[in-house]
Amino acid sequence: MDPQFDEFLHVPARLSIVAVLAPADWVDFGFLRDSIGTSDSALSKQVSALAGAGYVDVRKNQDKRARRTYVRLTPQGREAFVRHAAALERIVALARVSEERPPAQ
């Protein structure tokens, strides 16, 4: 296994969350939920896990009508995502090289 592969981050819901957060600063919880197509409770559970690992920050604001939650990657989370994405790219590259080789006889 590639040493940069992050098994905690590789959980599909967590990987989807950090992928949405990667190009952004603070992201609204509702936008994040809709982007990855999950429920509030499932997203909340995964965001809590990511926050516990130090990968995301969570901010709650009260506006005129409702409480709003925002999420962003921490520097540690961004670095972990970059390393994990690079590990996935190396794994895929190895698979492509294997496909291009003629079968052994």
Side-chain angles (χ1 to χ4, degrees), residues 6-24 27-29 31-38 42-43 46-47 50 55-56 71 73 81 84-85 88:
D6 187 328
E7 289 191 38
F8 174 79
L9 194 55
H10 194 66
V11 172
R14 293 181 199 145
L15 188 55
S16 296
I17 291 165
V18 297
V20 171
L21 296 176
V27 173
D28 178 75
F29 186 90
F31 176 82
L32 187 56
R33 176 200 60 223
D34 295 346
S35 295
I36 65 171
T38 193
L43 178 58
Q46 295 305 328
V47 166
L50 288 162
Y55 286 5
V56 301
V71 184
L73 281 178
F81 176 65
H84 186 67
L88 292 174

PDB file of all heavy atoms in Angstrom, residues 6-24 27-29 31-38 42-43 46-47 50 55-56 71 73 81 84-85 88:
ATOM      1  N   ASP A   6      -4.455   7.409   2.803  1.00  0.00           N
ATOM      2  CA  ASP A   6      -5.064   7.726   4.096  1.00  0.00           C
ATOM      3  C   ASP A   6      -6.370   6.946   4.235  1.00  0.00           C
ATOM      4  O   ASP A   6      -7.389   7.319   3.663  1.00  0.00           O
ATOM      5  CB  ASP A   6      -5.330   9.237   4.158  1.00  0.00           C
ATOM      6  CG  ASP A   6      -5.803   9.713   5.509  1.00  0.00           C
ATOM      7  OD1 ASP A   6      -6.500   8.954   6.215  1.00  0.00           O
ATOM      8  OD2 ASP A   6      -5.499  10.874   5.849  1.00  0.00           O
ATOM      9  N   GLU A   7      -6.332   5.845   4.979  1.00  0.00           N
ATOM     10  CA  GLU A   7      -7.517   4.992   5.114  1.00  0.00           C
ATOM     11  C   GLU A   7      -8.684   5.722   5.771  1.00  0.00           C
ATOM     12  O   GLU A   7      -9.836   5.491   5.413  1.00  0.00           O
ATOM     13  CB  GLU A   7      -7.173   3.718   5.889  1.00  0.00           C
ATOM     14  CG  GLU A   7      -6.306   2.785   5.067  1.00  0.00           C
ATOM     15  CD  GLU A   7      -6.165   1.414   5.688  1.00  0.00           C
ATOM     16  OE1 GLU A   7      -7.151   0.907   6.256  1.00  0.00           O
ATOM     17  OE2 GLU A   7      -5.063   0.852   5.587  1.00  0.00           O
ATOM     18  N   PHE A   8      -8.413   6.593   6.714  1.00  0.00           N
ATOM     19  CA  PHE A   8      -9.479   7.372   7.356  1.00  0.00           C
ATOM     20  C   PHE A   8     -10.165   8.274   6.334  1.00  0.00           C
ATOM     21  O   PHE A   8     -11.385   8.364   6.283  1.00  0.00           O
ATOM     22  CB  PHE A   8      -8.897   8.217   8.499  1.00  0.00           C
ATOM     23  CG  PHE A   8      -9.893   9.155   9.111  1.00  0.00           C
ATOM     24  CD1 PHE A   8     -10.825   8.687  10.028  1.00  0.00           C
ATOM     25  CD2 PHE A   8      -9.902  10.497   8.786  1.00  0.00           C
ATOM     26  CE1 PHE A   8     -11.755   9.549  10.602  1.00  0.00           C
ATOM     27  CE2 PHE A   8     -10.831  11.364   9.343  1.00  0.00           C
ATOM     28  CZ  PHE A   8     -11.756  10.888  10.253  1.00  0.00           C
ATOM     29  N   LEU A   9      -9.385   8.927   5.509  1.00  0.00           N
ATOM     30  CA  LEU A   9      -9.916   9.860   4.513  1.00  0.00           C
ATOM     31  C   LEU A   9     -10.544   9.134   3.330  1.00  0.00           C
ATOM     32  O   LEU A   9     -11.377   9.691   2.628  1.00  0.00           O
ATOM     33  CB  LEU A   9      -8.784  10.768   4.031  1.00  0.00           C
ATOM     34  CG  LEU A   9      -9.164  12.002   3.253  1.00  0.00           C
ATOM     35  CD1 LEU A   9     -10.142  12.860   4.033  1.00  0.00           C
ATOM     36  CD2 LEU A   9      -7.909  12.797   2.937  1.00  0.00           C
ATOM     37  N   HIS A  10     -10.184   7.883   3.118  1.00  0.00           N
ATOM     38  CA  HIS A  10     -10.657   7.144   1.945  1.00  0.00           C
ATOM     39  C   HIS A  10     -12.121   6.705   2.050  1.00  0.00           C
ATOM     40  O   HIS A  10     -12.720   6.327   1.052  1.00  0.00           O
ATOM     41  CB  HIS A  10      -9.766   5.932   1.672  1.00  0.00           C
ATOM     42  CG  HIS A  10      -9.988   5.336   0.324  1.00  0.00           C
ATOM     43  ND1 HIS A  10      -9.685   6.004  -0.835  1.00  0.00           N
ATOM     44  CD2 HIS A  10     -10.516   4.158  -0.058  1.00  0.00           C
ATOM     45  CE1 HIS A  10     -10.011   5.254  -1.876  1.00  0.00           C
ATOM     46  NE2 HIS A  10     -10.522   4.126  -1.427  1.00  0.00           N
ATOM     47  N   VAL A  11     -12.710   6.795   3.219  1.00  0.00           N
ATOM     48  CA  VAL A  11     -14.145   6.494   3.360  1.00  0.00           C
ATOM     49  C   VAL A  11     -14.881   7.383   2.355  1.00  0.00           C
ATOM     50  O   VAL A  11     -14.672   8.598   2.332  1.00  0.00           O
ATOM     51  CB  VAL A  11     -14.615   6.774   4.805  1.00  0.00           C
ATOM     52  CG1 VAL A  11     -16.124   6.665   4.925  1.00  0.00           C
ATOM     53  CG2 VAL A  11     -13.902   5.836   5.769  1.00  0.00           C
ATOM     54  N   PRO A  12     -15.701   6.806   1.473  1.00  0.00           N
ATOM     55  CA  PRO A  12     -16.292   7.588   0.377  1.00  0.00           C
ATOM     56  C   PRO A  12     -16.957   8.899   0.794  1.00  0.00           C
ATOM     57  O   PRO A  12     -16.750   9.928   0.143  1.00  0.00           O
ATOM     58  CB  PRO A  12     -17.302   6.621  -0.250  1.00  0.00           C
ATOM     59  CG  PRO A  12     -16.701   5.268   0.007  1.00  0.00           C
ATOM     60  CD  PRO A  12     -16.075   5.382   1.376  1.00  0.00           C
ATOM     61  N   ALA A  13     -17.709   8.898   1.874  1.00  0.00           N
ATOM     62  CA  ALA A  13     -18.366  10.141   2.296  1.00  0.00           C
ATOM     63  C   ALA A  13     -17.336  11.196   2.703  1.00  0.00           C
ATOM     64  O   ALA A  13     -17.461  12.369   2.334  1.00  0.00           O
ATOM     65  CB  ALA A  13     -19.329   9.865   3.449  1.00  0.00           C
ATOM     66  N   ARG A  14     -16.310  10.788   3.428  1.00  0.00           N
ATOM     67  CA  ARG A  14     -15.276  11.749   3.859  1.00  0.00           C
ATOM     68  C   ARG A  14     -14.485  12.263   2.674  1.00  0.00           C
ATOM     69  O   ARG A  14     -14.178  13.461   2.590  1.00  0.00           O
ATOM     70  CB  ARG A  14     -14.347  11.099   4.876  1.00  0.00           C
ATOM     71  CG  ARG A  14     -15.025  10.780   6.162  1.00  0.00           C
ATOM     72  CD  ARG A  14     -14.063  10.156   7.159  1.00  0.00           C
ATOM     73  NE  ARG A  14     -14.849   9.483   8.177  1.00  0.00           N
ATOM     74  CZ  ARG A  14     -14.493   8.370   8.778  1.00  0.00           C
ATOM     75  NH1 ARG A  14     -13.337   7.794   8.504  1.00  0.00           N
ATOM     76  NH2 ARG A  14     -15.273   7.824   9.673  1.00  0.00           N
ATOM     77  N   LEU A  15     -14.154  11.382   1.756  1.00  0.00           N
ATOM     78  CA  LEU A  15     -13.407  11.795   0.574  1.00  0.00           C
ATOM     79  C   LEU A  15     -14.234  12.775  -0.263  1.00  0.00           C
ATOM     80  O   LEU A  15     -13.710  13.772  -0.758  1.00  0.00           O
ATOM     81  CB  LEU A  15     -13.009  10.569  -0.247  1.00  0.00           C
ATOM     82  CG  LEU A  15     -12.058  10.802  -1.408  1.00  0.00           C
ATOM     83  CD1 LEU A  15     -10.783  11.496  -0.961  1.00  0.00           C
ATOM     84  CD2 LEU A  15     -11.723   9.469  -2.072  1.00  0.00           C
ATOM     85  N   SER A  16     -15.520  12.523  -0.380  1.00  0.00           N
ATOM     86  CA  SER A  16     -16.402  13.437  -1.114  1.00  0.00           C
ATOM     87  C   SER A  16     -16.446  14.802  -0.441  1.00  0.00           C
ATOM     88  O   SER A  16     -16.411  15.836  -1.115  1.00  0.00           O
ATOM     89  CB  SER A  16     -17.811  12.858  -1.206  1.00  0.00           C
ATOM     90  OG  SER A  16     -17.818  11.673  -1.952  1.00  0.00           O
ATOM     91  N   ILE A  17     -16.525  14.814   0.871  1.00  0.00           N
ATOM     92  CA  ILE A  17     -16.574  16.084   1.609  1.00  0.00           C
ATOM     93  C   ILE A  17     -15.315  16.897   1.375  1.00  0.00           C
ATOM     94  O   ILE A  17     -15.378  18.073   1.017  1.00  0.00           O
ATOM     95  CB  ILE A  17     -16.787  15.826   3.119  1.00  0.00           C
ATOM     96  CG1 ILE A  17     -18.194  15.276   3.369  1.00  0.00           C
ATOM     97  CG2 ILE A  17     -16.547  17.107   3.932  1.00  0.00           C
ATOM     98  CD1 ILE A  17     -18.388  14.664   4.754  1.00  0.00           C
ATOM     99  N   VAL A  18     -14.154  16.285   1.560  1.00  0.00           N
ATOM    100  CA  VAL A  18     -12.916  17.056   1.408  1.00  0.00           C
ATOM    101  C   VAL A  18     -12.683  17.461  -0.044  1.00  0.00           C
ATOM    102  O   VAL A  18     -12.099  18.512  -0.306  1.00  0.00           O
ATOM    103  CB  VAL A  18     -11.684  16.346   2.021  1.00  0.00           C
ATOM    104  CG1 VAL A  18     -11.837  16.183   3.515  1.00  0.00           C
ATOM    105  CG2 VAL A  18     -11.397  15.039   1.350  1.00  0.00           C
ATOM    106  N   ALA A  19     -13.170  16.666  -0.984  1.00  0.00           N
ATOM    107  CA  ALA A  19     -13.044  17.038  -2.392  1.00  0.00           C
ATOM    108  C   ALA A  19     -13.861  18.294  -2.701  1.00  0.00           C
ATOM    109  O   ALA A  19     -13.412  19.155  -3.468  1.00  0.00           O
ATOM    110  CB  ALA A  19     -13.468  15.885  -3.299  1.00  0.00           C
ATOM    111  N   VAL A  20     -15.038  18.407  -2.104  1.00  0.00           N
ATOM    112  CA  VAL A  20     -15.848  19.617  -2.294  1.00  0.00           C
ATOM    113  C   VAL A  20     -15.197  20.802  -1.587  1.00  0.00           C
ATOM    114  O   VAL A  20     -15.185  21.923  -2.106  1.00  0.00           O
ATOM    115  CB  VAL A  20     -17.298  19.407  -1.793  1.00  0.00           C
ATOM    116  CG1 VAL A  20     -18.077  20.715  -1.771  1.00  0.00           C
ATOM    117  CG2 VAL A  20     -18.015  18.382  -2.661  1.00  0.00           C
ATOM    118  N   LEU A  21     -14.638  20.575  -0.416  1.00  0.00           N
ATOM    119  CA  LEU A  21     -14.028  21.657   0.359  1.00  0.00           C
ATOM    120  C   LEU A  21     -12.697  22.135  -0.208  1.00  0.00           C
ATOM    121  O   LEU A  21     -12.325  23.296  -0.007  1.00  0.00           O
ATOM    122  CB  LEU A  21     -13.821  21.221   1.809  1.00  0.00           C
ATOM    123  CG  LEU A  21     -15.066  20.903   2.621  1.00  0.00           C
ATOM    124  CD1 LEU A  21     -14.669  20.382   4.000  1.00  0.00           C
ATOM    125  CD2 LEU A  21     -15.968  22.113   2.737  1.00  0.00           C
ATOM    126  N   ALA A  22     -11.983  21.278  -0.921  1.00  0.00           N
ATOM    127  CA  ALA A  22     -10.611  21.591  -1.352  1.00  0.00           C
ATOM    128  C   ALA A  22     -10.476  22.899  -2.132  1.00  0.00           C
ATOM    129  O   ALA A  22      -9.563  23.680  -1.850  1.00  0.00           O
ATOM    130  CB  ALA A  22     -10.031  20.425  -2.146  1.00  0.00           C
ATOM    131  N   PRO A  23     -11.334  23.201  -3.098  1.00  0.00           N
ATOM    132  CA  PRO A  23     -11.142  24.441  -3.850  1.00  0.00           C
ATOM    133  C   PRO A  23     -11.788  25.675  -3.201  1.00  0.00           C
ATOM    134  O   PRO A  23     -11.756  26.756  -3.778  1.00  0.00           O
ATOM    135  CB  PRO A  23     -11.810  24.139  -5.189  1.00  0.00           C
ATOM    136  CG  PRO A  23     -12.909  23.196  -4.841  1.00  0.00           C
ATOM    137  CD  PRO A  23     -12.356  22.353  -3.714  1.00  0.00           C
ATOM    138  N   ALA A  24     -12.349  25.517  -2.011  1.00  0.00           N
ATOM    139  CA  ALA A  24     -13.132  26.591  -1.413  1.00  0.00           C
ATOM    140  C   ALA A  24     -12.536  27.052  -0.086  1.00  0.00           C
ATOM    141  O   ALA A  24     -11.622  26.433   0.447  1.00  0.00           O
ATOM    142  CB  ALA A  24     -14.564  26.099  -1.191  1.00  0.00           C
ATOM    143  N   VAL A  27     -17.559  26.656   3.391  1.00  0.00           N
ATOM    144  CA  VAL A  27     -18.654  26.114   2.578  1.00  0.00           C
ATOM    145  C   VAL A  27     -19.868  25.921   3.485  1.00  0.00           C
ATOM    146  O   VAL A  27     -19.757  25.355   4.575  1.00  0.00           O
ATOM    147  CB  VAL A  27     -18.242  24.776   1.926  1.00  0.00           C
ATOM    148  CG1 VAL A  27     -19.408  24.123   1.217  1.00  0.00           C
ATOM    149  CG2 VAL A  27     -17.082  25.002   0.961  1.00  0.00           C
ATOM    150  N   ASP A  28     -21.012  26.390   3.011  1.00  0.00           N
ATOM    151  CA  ASP A  28     -22.267  26.238   3.734  1.00  0.00           C
ATOM    152  C   ASP A  28     -22.632  24.753   3.845  1.00  0.00           C
ATOM    153  O   ASP A  28     -22.509  23.996   2.875  1.00  0.00           O
ATOM    154  CB  ASP A  28     -23.373  27.003   2.997  1.00  0.00           C
ATOM    155  CG  ASP A  28     -24.715  26.855   3.677  1.00  0.00           C
ATOM    156  OD1 ASP A  28     -24.908  27.491   4.720  1.00  0.00           O
ATOM    157  OD2 ASP A  28     -25.552  26.089   3.155  1.00  0.00           O
ATOM    158  N   PHE A  29     -23.083  24.349   5.023  1.00  0.00           N
ATOM    159  CA  PHE A  29     -23.448  22.956   5.287  1.00  0.00           C
ATOM    160  C   PHE A  29     -24.471  22.454   4.268  1.00  0.00           C
ATOM    161  O   PHE A  29     -24.350  21.345   3.750  1.00  0.00           O
ATOM    162  CB  PHE A  29     -24.001  22.840   6.712  1.00  0.00           C
ATOM    163  CG  PHE A  29     -24.279  21.434   7.159  1.00  0.00           C
ATOM    164  CD1 PHE A  29     -23.313  20.680   7.791  1.00  0.00           C
ATOM    165  CD2 PHE A  29     -25.536  20.866   6.962  1.00  0.00           C
ATOM    166  CE1 PHE A  29     -23.572  19.383   8.219  1.00  0.00           C
ATOM    167  CE2 PHE A  29     -25.805  19.580   7.389  1.00  0.00           C
ATOM    168  CZ  PHE A  29     -24.825  18.836   8.018  1.00  0.00           C
ATOM    169  N   PHE A  31     -25.060  23.503   1.211  1.00  0.00           N
ATOM    170  CA  PHE A  31     -24.419  23.330  -0.097  1.00  0.00           C
ATOM    171  C   PHE A  31     -23.600  22.043  -0.114  1.00  0.00           C
ATOM    172  O   PHE A  31     -23.645  21.272  -1.079  1.00  0.00           O
ATOM    173  CB  PHE A  31     -23.520  24.530  -0.421  1.00  0.00           C
ATOM    174  CG  PHE A  31     -22.760  24.370  -1.694  1.00  0.00           C
ATOM    175  CD1 PHE A  31     -23.351  24.659  -2.917  1.00  0.00           C
ATOM    176  CD2 PHE A  31     -21.447  23.905  -1.688  1.00  0.00           C
ATOM    177  CE1 PHE A  31     -22.656  24.496  -4.100  1.00  0.00           C
ATOM    178  CE2 PHE A  31     -20.749  23.733  -2.863  1.00  0.00           C
ATOM    179  CZ  PHE A  31     -21.350  24.025  -4.076  1.00  0.00           C
ATOM    180  N   LEU A  32     -22.871  21.800   0.958  1.00  0.00           N
ATOM    181  CA  LEU A  32     -22.052  20.593   1.056  1.00  0.00           C
ATOM    182  C   LEU A  32     -22.940  19.349   1.011  1.00  0.00           C
ATOM    183  O   LEU A  32     -22.671  18.404   0.259  1.00  0.00           O
ATOM    184  CB  LEU A  32     -21.243  20.647   2.353  1.00  0.00           C
ATOM    185  CG  LEU A  32     -20.199  19.576   2.602  1.00  0.00           C
ATOM    186  CD1 LEU A  32     -19.187  19.501   1.475  1.00  0.00           C
ATOM    187  CD2 LEU A  32     -19.495  19.853   3.929  1.00  0.00           C
ATOM    188  N   ARG A  33     -24.029  19.348   1.776  1.00  0.00           N
ATOM    189  CA  ARG A  33     -24.978  18.235   1.791  1.00  0.00           C
ATOM    190  C   ARG A  33     -25.533  17.956   0.393  1.00  0.00           C
ATOM    191  O   ARG A  33     -25.556  16.822  -0.067  1.00  0.00           O
ATOM    192  CB  ARG A  33     -26.132  18.561   2.752  1.00  0.00           C
ATOM    193  CG  ARG A  33     -27.233  17.513   2.790  1.00  0.00           C
ATOM    194  CD  ARG A  33     -28.524  18.071   3.328  1.00  0.00           C
ATOM    195  NE  ARG A  33     -28.976  19.175   2.493  1.00  0.00           N
ATOM    196  CZ  ARG A  33     -29.462  20.328   2.965  1.00  0.00           C
ATOM    197  NH1 ARG A  33     -29.570  20.537   4.257  1.00  0.00           N
ATOM    198  NH2 ARG A  33     -29.848  21.270   2.137  1.00  0.00           N
ATOM    199  N   ASP A  34     -25.963  19.024  -0.290  1.00  0.00           N
ATOM    200  CA  ASP A  34     -26.543  18.861  -1.618  1.00  0.00           C
ATOM    201  C   ASP A  34     -25.492  18.424  -2.639  1.00  0.00           C
ATOM    202  O   ASP A  34     -25.794  17.644  -3.545  1.00  0.00           O
ATOM    203  CB  ASP A  34     -27.211  20.155  -2.073  1.00  0.00           C
ATOM    204  CG  ASP A  34     -28.410  20.524  -1.211  1.00  0.00           C
ATOM    205  OD1 ASP A  34     -28.897  19.663  -0.436  1.00  0.00           O
ATOM    206  OD2 ASP A  34     -28.855  21.687  -1.290  1.00  0.00           O
ATOM    207  N   SER A  35     -24.277  18.895  -2.489  1.00  0.00           N
ATOM    208  CA  SER A  35     -23.205  18.556  -3.434  1.00  0.00           C
ATOM    209  C   SER A  35     -22.837  17.085  -3.389  1.00  0.00           C
ATOM    210  O   SER A  35     -22.526  16.488  -4.416  1.00  0.00           O
ATOM    211  CB  SER A  35     -21.949  19.388  -3.154  1.00  0.00           C
ATOM    212  OG  SER A  35     -22.203  20.749  -3.398  1.00  0.00           O
ATOM    213  N   ILE A  36     -22.863  16.508  -2.186  1.00  0.00           N
ATOM    214  CA  ILE A  36     -22.491  15.096  -2.097  1.00  0.00           C
ATOM    215  C   ILE A  36     -23.700  14.178  -2.031  1.00  0.00           C
ATOM    216  O   ILE A  36     -23.552  12.961  -2.041  1.00  0.00           O
ATOM    217  CB  ILE A  36     -21.507  14.812  -0.945  1.00  0.00           C
ATOM    218  CG1 ILE A  36     -22.136  15.067   0.414  1.00  0.00           C
ATOM    219  CG2 ILE A  36     -20.244  15.623  -1.100  1.00  0.00           C
ATOM    220  CD1 ILE A  36     -21.278  14.592   1.562  1.00  0.00           C
ATOM    221  N   GLY A  37     -24.893  14.761  -1.970  1.00  0.00           N
ATOM    222  CA  GLY A  37     -26.113  13.958  -2.022  1.00  0.00           C
ATOM    223  C   GLY A  37     -26.319  13.073  -0.820  1.00  0.00           C
ATOM    224  O   GLY A  37     -26.522  11.864  -0.953  1.00  0.00           O
ATOM    225  N   THR A  38     -26.293  13.671   0.368  1.00  0.00           N
ATOM    226  CA  THR A  38     -26.479  12.899   1.591  1.00  0.00           C
ATOM    227  C   THR A  38     -27.485  13.605   2.497  1.00  0.00           C
ATOM    228  O   THR A  38     -27.962  14.681   2.175  1.00  0.00           O
ATOM    229  CB  THR A  38     -25.131  12.673   2.312  1.00  0.00           C
ATOM    230  OG1 THR A  38     -25.285  11.689   3.317  1.00  0.00           O
ATOM    231  CG2 THR A  38     -24.576  13.951   2.894  1.00  0.00           C
ATOM    232  N   ALA A  42     -26.212  12.209   8.235  1.00  0.00           N
ATOM    233  CA  ALA A  42     -25.030  11.494   7.735  1.00  0.00           C
ATOM    234  C   ALA A  42     -23.866  12.459   7.525  1.00  0.00           C
ATOM    235  O   ALA A  42     -22.719  12.150   7.870  1.00  0.00           O
ATOM    236  CB  ALA A  42     -25.361  10.761   6.441  1.00  0.00           C
ATOM    237  N   LEU A  43     -24.163  13.639   6.983  1.00  0.00           N
ATOM    238  CA  LEU A  43     -23.106  14.629   6.771  1.00  0.00           C
ATOM    239  C   LEU A  43     -22.561  15.100   8.116  1.00  0.00           C
ATOM    240  O   LEU A  43     -21.343  15.210   8.289  1.00  0.00           O
ATOM    241  CB  LEU A  43     -23.631  15.807   5.952  1.00  0.00           C
ATOM    242  CG  LEU A  43     -22.634  16.932   5.708  1.00  0.00           C
ATOM    243  CD1 LEU A  43     -21.376  16.419   4.996  1.00  0.00           C
ATOM    244  CD2 LEU A  43     -23.290  18.055   4.914  1.00  0.00           C
ATOM    245  N   GLN A  46     -20.097  12.611   9.543  1.00  0.00           N
ATOM    246  CA  GLN A  46     -18.797  12.590   8.872  1.00  0.00           C
ATOM    247  C   GLN A  46     -18.011  13.880   9.120  1.00  0.00           C
ATOM    248  O   GLN A  46     -16.787  13.841   9.286  1.00  0.00           O
ATOM    249  CB  GLN A  46     -18.971  12.344   7.371  1.00  0.00           C
ATOM    250  CG  GLN A  46     -19.542  10.987   7.041  1.00  0.00           C
ATOM    251  CD  GLN A  46     -18.753   9.827   7.637  1.00  0.00           C
ATOM    252  OE1 GLN A  46     -17.540   9.881   7.792  1.00  0.00           O
ATOM    253  NE2 GLN A  46     -19.457   8.751   7.969  1.00  0.00           N
ATOM    254  N   VAL A  47     -18.693  15.012   9.160  1.00  0.00           N
ATOM    255  CA  VAL A  47     -18.015  16.275   9.461  1.00  0.00           C
ATOM    256  C   VAL A  47     -17.447  16.226  10.872  1.00  0.00           C
ATOM    257  O   VAL A  47     -16.318  16.670  11.120  1.00  0.00           O
ATOM    258  CB  VAL A  47     -18.958  17.479   9.253  1.00  0.00           C
ATOM    259  CG1 VAL A  47     -18.391  18.753   9.871  1.00  0.00           C
ATOM    260  CG2 VAL A  47     -19.236  17.691   7.763  1.00  0.00           C
ATOM    261  N   LEU A  50     -14.322  14.151  10.762  1.00  0.00           N
ATOM    262  CA  LEU A  50     -13.236  14.913  10.137  1.00  0.00           C
ATOM    263  C   LEU A  50     -12.716  16.002  11.076  1.00  0.00           C
ATOM    264  O   LEU A  50     -11.509  16.240  11.150  1.00  0.00           O
ATOM    265  CB  LEU A  50     -13.698  15.523   8.810  1.00  0.00           C
ATOM    266  CG  LEU A  50     -13.883  14.535   7.665  1.00  0.00           C
ATOM    267  CD1 LEU A  50     -14.733  15.135   6.553  1.00  0.00           C
ATOM    268  CD2 LEU A  50     -12.528  14.087   7.121  1.00  0.00           C
ATOM    269  N   TYR A  55      -9.101  17.586  10.442  1.00  0.00           N
ATOM    270  CA  TYR A  55      -9.117  17.831   8.997  1.00  0.00           C
ATOM    271  C   TYR A  55     -10.025  18.978   8.586  1.00  0.00           C
ATOM    272  O   TYR A  55      -9.843  19.541   7.510  1.00  0.00           O
ATOM    273  CB  TYR A  55      -9.544  16.573   8.248  1.00  0.00           C
ATOM    274  CG  TYR A  55      -8.490  15.485   8.181  1.00  0.00           C
ATOM    275  CD1 TYR A  55      -7.276  15.591   8.846  1.00  0.00           C
ATOM    276  CD2 TYR A  55      -8.717  14.338   7.439  1.00  0.00           C
ATOM    277  CE1 TYR A  55      -6.333  14.583   8.773  1.00  0.00           C
ATOM    278  CE2 TYR A  55      -7.762  13.325   7.359  1.00  0.00           C
ATOM    279  CZ  TYR A  55      -6.579  13.458   8.032  1.00  0.00           C
ATOM    280  OH  TYR A  55      -5.641  12.465   7.956  1.00  0.00           O
ATOM    281  N   VAL A  56     -11.039  19.301   9.402  1.00  0.00           N
ATOM    282  CA  VAL A  56     -11.938  20.413   9.079  1.00  0.00           C
ATOM    283  C   VAL A  56     -12.190  21.264  10.316  1.00  0.00           C
ATOM    284  O   VAL A  56     -12.073  20.801  11.448  1.00  0.00           O
ATOM    285  CB  VAL A  56     -13.301  19.950   8.491  1.00  0.00           C
ATOM    286  CG1 VAL A  56     -13.119  19.150   7.218  1.00  0.00           C
ATOM    287  CG2 VAL A  56     -14.130  19.201   9.507  1.00  0.00           C
ATOM    288  N   VAL A  71     -18.243  24.921   6.946  1.00  0.00           N
ATOM    289  CA  VAL A  71     -17.150  23.959   7.111  1.00  0.00           C
ATOM    290  C   VAL A  71     -16.016  24.349   6.174  1.00  0.00           C
ATOM    291  O   VAL A  71     -16.264  24.802   5.050  1.00  0.00           O
ATOM    292  CB  VAL A  71     -17.627  22.520   6.778  1.00  0.00           C
ATOM    293  CG1 VAL A  71     -16.533  21.505   7.039  1.00  0.00           C
ATOM    294  CG2 VAL A  71     -18.894  22.162   7.544  1.00  0.00           C
ATOM    295  N   LEU A  73     -11.646  23.135   5.153  1.00  0.00           N
ATOM    296  CA  LEU A  73     -10.480  22.294   5.428  1.00  0.00           C
ATOM    297  C   LEU A  73      -9.488  23.065   6.280  1.00  0.00           C
ATOM    298  O   LEU A  73      -9.279  24.265   6.076  1.00  0.00           O
ATOM    299  CB  LEU A  73      -9.778  21.896   4.121  1.00  0.00           C
ATOM    300  CG  LEU A  73     -10.396  20.781   3.308  1.00  0.00           C
ATOM    301  CD1 LEU A  73      -9.588  20.558   2.028  1.00  0.00           C
ATOM    302  CD2 LEU A  73     -10.482  19.490   4.090  1.00  0.00           C
ATOM    303  N   PHE A  81      -5.490  15.626   2.154  1.00  0.00           N
ATOM    304  CA  PHE A  81      -6.211  15.404   0.898  1.00  0.00           C
ATOM    305  C   PHE A  81      -5.253  15.382  -0.292  1.00  0.00           C
ATOM    306  O   PHE A  81      -5.342  14.500  -1.147  1.00  0.00           O
ATOM    307  CB  PHE A  81      -7.280  16.475   0.698  1.00  0.00           C
ATOM    308  CG  PHE A  81      -7.993  16.346  -0.619  1.00  0.00           C
ATOM    309  CD1 PHE A  81      -8.780  15.239  -0.902  1.00  0.00           C
ATOM    310  CD2 PHE A  81      -7.872  17.335  -1.586  1.00  0.00           C
ATOM    311  CE1 PHE A  81      -9.440  15.114  -2.122  1.00  0.00           C
ATOM    312  CE2 PHE A  81      -8.527  17.214  -2.803  1.00  0.00           C
ATOM    313  CZ  PHE A  81      -9.303  16.110  -3.073  1.00  0.00           C
ATOM    314  N   HIS A  84      -3.306  12.121  -0.167  1.00  0.00           N
ATOM    315  CA  HIS A  84      -4.162  10.978  -0.499  1.00  0.00           C
ATOM    316  C   HIS A  84      -4.497  10.961  -1.989  1.00  0.00           C
ATOM    317  O   HIS A  84      -4.446   9.901  -2.625  1.00  0.00           O
ATOM    318  CB  HIS A  84      -5.434  11.014   0.347  1.00  0.00           C
ATOM    319  CG  HIS A  84      -6.290   9.813   0.170  1.00  0.00           C
ATOM    320  ND1 HIS A  84      -5.910   8.558   0.581  1.00  0.00           N
ATOM    321  CD2 HIS A  84      -7.508   9.657  -0.408  1.00  0.00           C
ATOM    322  CE1 HIS A  84      -6.858   7.686   0.291  1.00  0.00           C
ATOM    323  NE2 HIS A  84      -7.841   8.325  -0.325  1.00  0.00           N
ATOM    324  N   ALA A  85      -4.820  12.120  -2.546  1.00  0.00           N
ATOM    325  CA  ALA A  85      -5.126  12.198  -3.982  1.00  0.00           C
ATOM    326  C   ALA A  85      -3.910  11.771  -4.809  1.00  0.00           C
ATOM    327  O   ALA A  85      -4.050  11.053  -5.807  1.00  0.00           O
ATOM    328  CB  ALA A  85      -5.576  13.606  -4.360  1.00  0.00           C
ATOM    329  N   LEU A  88      -3.683   8.011  -4.710  1.00  0.00           N
ATOM    330  CA  LEU A  88      -4.665   7.416  -5.619  1.00  0.00           C
ATOM    331  C   LEU A  88      -4.209   7.528  -7.068  1.00  0.00           C
ATOM    332  O   LEU A  88      -4.364   6.577  -7.854  1.00  0.00           O
ATOM    333  CB  LEU A  88      -6.029   8.084  -5.440  1.00  0.00           C
ATOM    334  CG  LEU A  88      -6.728   7.824  -4.111  1.00  0.00           C
ATOM    335  CD1 LEU A  88      -8.000   8.655  -4.009  1.00  0.00           C
ATOM    336  CD2 LEU A  88      -7.025   6.351  -3.923  1.00  0.00           C
TER     337      LEU A  88
END
